[in-house]
Amino acid sequence: MNDREIVERIIRNDESQLYSNIVSRYSPQILSKVLALVKRRDLACEITQQAFIKAYTNLNTWRGSSLGAWINAIAMNASLTSLNQEKLRYSEPIEKADNIEREEYSEEREQMLLAMEKAISRLSETDKEIIRLHYYEGRKTDEIAQALGLTSSNVLVKMHRIRERLKKDLKDERNK
Amino acid sequence: MKEINDKGLDMLINNVFERQEMLEEINQQIMKTVKKQHRKSMAYHRLCILAACFGIPLVTVFLLLTYYKVAQSIPDSIPLTFSIIAASVSLIVVAFKSFDLLNENV
């Protein structure tokens, strides 16, 4: 279903649950862009949420151009407004604040993230869990083995294979 | 896309999981708010229907009753006739507009 059909169904038939398709379609890219601009995860999450909610409330004013670009414009405006407010609130420039993470947005990085997401989604559930526990939760091999009922050597071998597979998938995506 | 080294790969995997969690949370929050707004607007429209169905007849009855009572004490009053015509016209306009609104939203 394309964006226009979804929006028409939301407006005409009140099928608000269809909005989740729009959200999952555009939120990764918009979140990355907002994060690159405001440089704070909590603020980026809040602005992305606000932008999608504002877009939903004003869906009937959408003129049928690219929906992603429209929501992106709303998010960028909200980010700039928020940055201005932050600058007014603190005398210290936002770029020098302590707890900020410096992540620059680039189409290439976004593509790599998407390619990696795709590659991870193709893994089996056990493999996904292994890399999630290791890379995201920072658990050690023994702990992963215990959590999943495997031996430590088995986890090590699996991790090596998963990494190789992800590398290969990423390379294939790059060569496309 | 450029070539990626081992450290970069580790970081990319980590970023994917971090982002997935953030996105899940964002998506849940958005849909929660959207559902809330939807429920609110449905409740508002139901209230509008109730107001249109019971409010307009009630006002009409009140208007006619007042006219009847005043006409009994002052028969053949021209200002009274004009005021009742004006009230009836505005009532008809309000009724049409509210039914139009209901048709648009229900």
Side-chain angles (χ1 to χ4, degrees):
Chain A
M1 218 186 315
N2 65 30
D3 293 346
R4 187 183 286 272
E5 283 170 348
I6 293 175
V7 171
E8 273 177 12
R9 281 178 65 173
I10 292 171
I11 293 172
R12 285 191 189 158
N13 310 340
D14 256 351
E15 294 177 75
S16 60
Q17 73 280 4
L18 287 178
Y19 195 60
S20 65
N21 294 335
I22 305 258
V23 175
S24 46
R25 203 172 287 172
Y26 296 112
S27 61
Q29 208 181 11
I30 289 176
L31 176 68
S32 296
K33 286 184 179 174
V34 173
L35 191 58
L37 204 64
V38 299
K39 320 247 186 230
R40 265 175 47 198
R41 284 177 191 277
D42 55 340
L43 190 61
C45 286
E46 204 183 304
I47 291 171
T48 310
Q49 277 174 35
Q50 281 173 5
F52 276 97
I53 290 163
K54 199 171 176 185
Y56 174 78
T57 318
N58 297 300
L59 263 187
N60 50 355
T61 63
W62 178 54
R63 295 278 164 248
S65 56
S66 163
L67 187 64
W70 184 62
I71 301 173
N72 189 44
I74 296 173
M76 289 300 111
N77 276 336
S79 307
L80 292 174
T81 310
S82 166
L83 275 180
N84 282 336
Q85 282 169 353
E86 292 271 309
K87 275 178 186 169
L88 285 176
R89 207 174 297 153
Y90 304 108
S91 55
E92 188 182 34
I94 188 80
E95 293 79 14
K96 288 183 183 169
D98 282 341
N99 57 345
I100 59 171
E101 296 122 38
R102 287 166 183 78
E103 277 181 54
E104 294 304 321
Y105 177 82
S106 74
E107 279 297 329
E108 194 185 1
R109 187 173 161 68
E110 189 61 30
Q111 275 175 10
M112 275 169 80
L113 276 168
L114 287 175
M116 183 54 86
E117 262 176 28
K118 231 190 254 175
I120 290 174
S121 70
R122 280 194 290 260
L123 295 174
S124 70
E125 284 304 313
T126 320
D127 290 355
K128 260 188 232 170
E129 193 59 13
I130 288 172
I131 55 161
R132 195 183 66 80
L133 289 171
H134 181 70
Y135 290 103
Y136 185 58
E137 293 190 4
R139 297 236 204 136
K140 288 176 184 158
T141 319
D142 295 346
E143 291 171 335
I144 299 171
Q146 209 175 2
L148 299 178
L150 301 166
T151 61
S152 297
S153 54
N154 200 345
V155 171
L156 274 173
V157 172
K158 269 182 180 286
M159 252 178 358
H160 178 72
R161 282 188 192 151
I162 295 166
R163 274 179 64 90
E164 289 308 309
R165 190 178 159 185
L166 292 176
K167 245 187 209 173
K168 189 184 163 290
D169 283 1
L170 213 60
K171 203 174 174 183
D172 291 347
E173 197 71 32
R174 196 171 47 234
N175 294 336
K176 263 184 194 173
Chain B
M1 272 189 271
K2 63 184 175 195
E3 198 78 43
I4 192 165
N5 58 21
D6 281 352
K7 204 180 163 192
L9 187 81
D10 290 353
M11 206 154 132
L12 195 64
I13 296 171
N14 181 276
N15 286 351
V16 166
F17 280 107
E18 267 180 10
R19 193 163 89 143
Q20 269 177 356
E21 203 184 64
M22 280 165 82
L23 286 171
E24 255 171 50
E25 201 182 313
I26 288 171
N27 295 2
Q28 271 178 8
Q29 284 298 326
I30 293 169
M31 288 318 291
K32 218 169 147 183
T33 314
V34 163
K35 274 179 195 161
K36 213 171 163 184
Q37 277 191 8
H38 182 69
R39 275 201 300 269
K40 239 184 190 174
S41 69
M42 287 301 282
Y44 174 75
H45 292 313
R46 279 181 193 141
L47 271 177
C48 282
I49 292 173
L50 277 179
C53 292
F54 295 102
I56 293 169
L58 211 70
V59 172
T60 313
V61 168
F62 177 74
L63 198 76
L64 291 175
L65 204 71
T66 313
Y67 175 68
Y68 175 71
K69 291 248 164 129
V70 177
Q72 265 187 337
S73 55
I74 322 165
D76 300 330
S77 163
I78 292 171
L80 178 68
T81 312
F82 274 114
S83 63
I84 202 72
I85 289 169
S88 308
V89 169
S90 48
L91 198 66
I92 289 165
V93 171
V94 167
F96 266 108
K97 285 211 168 179
S98 53
F99 280 115
D100 265 357
L101 269 176
L102 288 176
N103 275 339
E104 268 176 31
N105 296 311
V106 179

